[in-house]
Amino acid sequence: MLLLAWRNLWRNARRSLLTLASIACGVAAIMFGQSMIKTIQWQLIEKATGIITGHLRVQNKEVKELKFPEKNYGDLPKLEKILAGDPDIEAYEHRILLTGLVSGKNDSNGVLLCGVEPKRDPKVTTMSTYLAQGSWLKGDGKEIVMGDQLADALGAKLGESIVVLAQASDGSMGADNYKIVGLFHAGSQTFDKAIAFVPLAAFQETLAMEGRANDLVIKLRDPERLEEARSRLSAALAGEPLKVLTWREVDEEITGVQAYQNAILKIVLGIVFLIVALGILNTVFMSLFERVREFGILKAMGARPSFVLRLVLVESCMLGGLGGGLGVLTGVGLIAYYRQEGLPLPIGEAMSQFLPFDTILHLRFDWPTHQTAIAAVVVTSLLAALPPALRAAKLKPVDCLRHR
Amino acid sequence: MSGETLIELKQVSKVYRPKVKAAFSDAAPGVIAIEKLDLAFSKGEFSAIAGPSGSGKSTLLNLIGTIDAPTDGTIAFRGKTVTNLDENALADFRLHQLGFVFQAYNLIPVLTAAENVEYPLALQGVSRAERRARAIEALSWVGLDGLADRRPDLLSGGQQQRVAVARAIVHRPAVVLADEPTANLDSKTAASLLDMMLDLNKKHGITFIFSSHDPTVLSRARRVIHLQDGRLQ
């Protein structure tokens, strides 16, 4: 049967090659699309968690605004002991995130003020890697690092002092002079125009929040162990007025973008599967129509209907398998090429309005989803061949032999 | 010849009705191809069914070959009724007991001569080595030594029909049914094919039932059954 199926496949080589090409293009397009969407998602997550969000966050239980926690927590030494013994945690730092005002000689701007631990912060986030001028925070008194666009707007330069104003925990306004020690350029307006970093200790003093913070950010050794790490930390913090959040809860917009992209990907995949299925259906039907008499001969010789059914399905499987194989090779080649060379996408500029985002995507393989798509193409080719195969199996031998 | 009855038809009729809605099917008159035919064939026969075009020769062979079903009556093989078998049982019956030779050769174009001949054996599940050996032997019986690996399009009409005969006899069927096997051949090739079939009948005891309207062909048959409008003459 395999021999006959294989030879039947090449009976009309041009038609079979066209079908193979359409399946291969479909598979390669699916793999490429999956890789592109997944790479964008990976980068979004990596950038968001790496720059500001972290993998896990610990905040006061009563906090409602997760990005700008309005409640504080204390007893930092007790927390340190719990965090130090956790095998999933690579690094962590206490922060104070607060909206406030910075004033230079030209202007005043509303910003997100981040009080960070200068020594720990570079181990937790990548913000210090975007430094363009000066140095990162050292923790020596009241120093500030801000985006270059913010400094321009304020008319402030490296080494000059500006005024930082924010609401202290006792309700009064806390204000201090901070010296600009560094300017960063992240390539994102949100960051370069509206975020400034100050040492935690200095900020606590300005805000009369000694020994307190409002945001504990954690970097995990393995981001894939997000839920396990959260569960263990939640258990360890049971009884404390704290809650443990994952980046998915803090950055809901990223999970929203992910869901949106996945939905689009599914629609595109559905269309590609439909095209593949119609191509196979057309090929198999044409091939059946040409061979009706032969099915009659096979049946007259004693082939059971199930044999004819299997013959047609095997032919289709070969078509799907070969086309799928060619598609995988093409897809792997395309992804490997753009992994090496990078794919310039305008999405980078659009995304960088919100988050530093690389405009050149270095594609990555996502084999679990690629495997699903490849299996789906093979199943689609089988399902597409089922109606013509059933029809061939049901034909009466005498009717087949009369077919012209 | 042993005289054992191989095939027996009792009151067999075949009426072709036009494809109309069920509600009107009884009213449609239909065409009577075979009418209340009683007929028997014995083991070792070399028989011809004769008659003009439209007399029912092909229909009768199709009914005997179980690739078409009678409207009425029964057909029995070695005393067992085959007209009530399901599709799978009929396929198995054809696979083991019958061989077919068609007017238009009807070889599978993508297979070589030997692969075509092997096919009934492959359907029977015979091992690759054995079916190859038996196919080569069958091709030798029909005088096609050395042409085993040729595709049908590289064989003459006469050679293709010999391959078809080899395919029909390779699995040692009880009966070979041949529907106008010489219709597409010139007279010399047709005579040669008939001689070869007769030789197989004599040497190997293969039962042949074939149809023809050619008097020269019919003259080779030991028994000629004349059909006219679906009835025995």
Side-chain angles (χ1 to χ4, degrees), chain B residues 13-27:
Chain B
S13 297
K14 179 70 186 178
V15 181
Y16 291 107
R17 294 189 193 282
K19 287 179 181 172
V20 291
K21 285 185 180 176
F24 303 105
S25 61
D26 290 341

Side-chain angles (χ1 to χ4, degrees), chain A residues 244-255:
Chain A
V244 183
L245 306 157
T246 67
W247 65 264
R248 288 181 203 280
E249 290 157 297
V250 179
D251 276 339
E252 277 183 321
E253 54 274 76
I254 289 181
T255 46

Side-chain angles (χ1 to χ4, degrees), chain A residues 1 3-4 7-8 11 293-294 297-305 307 311 393 395 397-398 401-402, chain B residues 16 62 67-68 87-88 91-92 94-95 100 102 104 106 108-112 115 119-120 123 151 167:
Chain A
M1 178 191 279
L3 176 76
L4 184 59
R7 299 247 179 101
N8 280 336
R11 184 183 284 242
R293 273 182 78 82
E294 280 175 38
I297 300 163
L298 286 176
K299 288 185 168 186
M301 282 199 296
R304 288 181 168 202
F307 176 88
L311 178 68
L395 288 171
V398 70
L401 289 167
R402 283 195 196 115
Chain B
Y16 291 107
N62 289 343
I67 58 175
D68 201 359
E87 272 197 76
N88 285 337
D92 292 346
R94 291 194 293 268
L95 180 60
F100 286 89
F102 301 98
N106 284 347
I108 297 171
V110 292
L111 300 180
T112 64
E115 287 164 351
Y119 222 85
L123 290 173
R151 293 263 177 109
R167 183 178 65 184

Side-chain angles (χ1 to χ4, degrees), chain A residues 75-381:
Chain A
D75 207 357
L76 306 190
K78 187 180 176 184
L79 269 174
E80 299 272 329
K81 278 184 191 167
I82 293 169
L83 297 170
D86 194 310
D88 277 323
I89 295 175
E90 184 179 318
Y92 63 90
E93 68 170 329
H94 297 284
R95 299 195 298 204
I96 294 175
L97 301 182
L98 214 58
T99 50
L101 199 71
V102 285
S103 298
K105 58 187 174 195
N106 285 359
D107 206 353
S108 297
N109 267 36
V111 295
L112 171 66
L113 291 161
C114 305
V116 299
E117 296 185 65
K119 284 185 182 161
R120 283 178 172 171
D121 188 70
K123 295 174 188 165
V124 181
T125 74
T126 56
M127 208 53 233
S128 58
T129 62
Y130 291 97
L131 202 68
Q133 290 179 55
S135 61
W136 189 246
L137 303 169
K138 294 187 182 74
D140 302 333
K142 297 203 165 48
E143 48 192 12
I144 188 165
V145 173
M146 64 175 65
D148 51 2
Q149 290 187 44
L150 178 60
D152 282 347
L154 297 176
K157 290 195 174 98
L158 197 66
E160 291 180 4
S161 285
I162 56 158
V163 176
V164 170
L165 195 72
Q167 190 171 29
S169 64
D170 58 4
S172 64
M173 293 305 287
D176 264 317
N177 279 323
Y178 281 77
K179 184 183 174 189
I180 301 171
V181 296
L183 297 175
F184 64 79
H185 180 81
S188 155
Q189 287 194 14
T190 307
F191 280 72
D192 295 342
K193 262 188 180 173
I195 295 182
F197 294 86
V198 293
L200 180 66
F203 207 33
Q204 282 171 328
E205 197 184 312
T206 301
L207 299 170
M209 276 179 66
E210 281 84 357
R212 300 185 69 77
N214 65 7
D215 185 56
L216 170 60
V217 61
I218 295 166
K219 182 183 181 184
L220 296 177
R221 291 182 204 281
D222 178 7
E224 297 292 319
R225 288 184 48 78
L226 191 68
E227 287 304 331
E228 292 93 326
R230 188 249 280 271
S231 298
R232 191 173 44 241
L233 192 55
S234 294
L237 294 174
E240 300 291 333
L242 298 167
K243 60 181 171 187
V244 183
L245 306 157
T246 67
W247 65 264
R248 288 181 203 280
E249 290 157 297
V250 179
D251 276 339
E252 277 183 321
E253 54 274 76
I254 289 181
T255 46
V257 169
Q258 254 187 316
Y260 172 70
Q261 288 174 335
N262 286 339
I264 289 178
L265 193 61
K266 276 180 190 160
I267 292 168
V268 173
L269 291 191
I271 294 169
V272 173
F273 284 141
L274 194 68
I275 292 167
V276 168
L278 286 175
I280 291 174
L281 196 68
N282 176 54
T283 304
V284 177
F285 257 125
M286 288 295 287
S287 161
L288 286 194
F289 190 74
E290 287 169 3
R291 292 189 289 148
V292 170
R293 273 182 78 82
E294 280 175 38
F295 291 130
I297 300 163
L298 286 176
K299 288 185 168 186
M301 282 199 296
R304 288 181 168 202
S306 59
F307 176 88
V308 175
L309 179 80
R310 277 182 285 135
L311 178 68
V312 177
L313 289 181
V314 166
E315 283 175 28
S316 179
C317 258
M318 284 177 169
L319 211 55
L322 263 178
L326 281 172
V328 170
L329 286 178
T330 314
V332 165
L334 272 174
I335 295 168
Y337 176 79
Y338 285 110
R339 182 184 197 169
Q340 182 71 29
E341 298 297 319
L343 178 69
L345 270 192
I347 189 173
E349 283 163 27
M351 293 302 295
S352 66
Q353 295 294 319
F354 313 101
L355 203 67
F357 203 86
D358 299 337
T359 49
I360 295 195
L361 279 185
H362 290 275
L363 297 188
R364 303 184 195 185
F365 289 102
D366 182 23
W367 282 111
T369 51
H370 294 334
Q371 281 167 5
T372 311
I374 295 159
V377 167
V378 175
V379 171
T380 303
S381 61

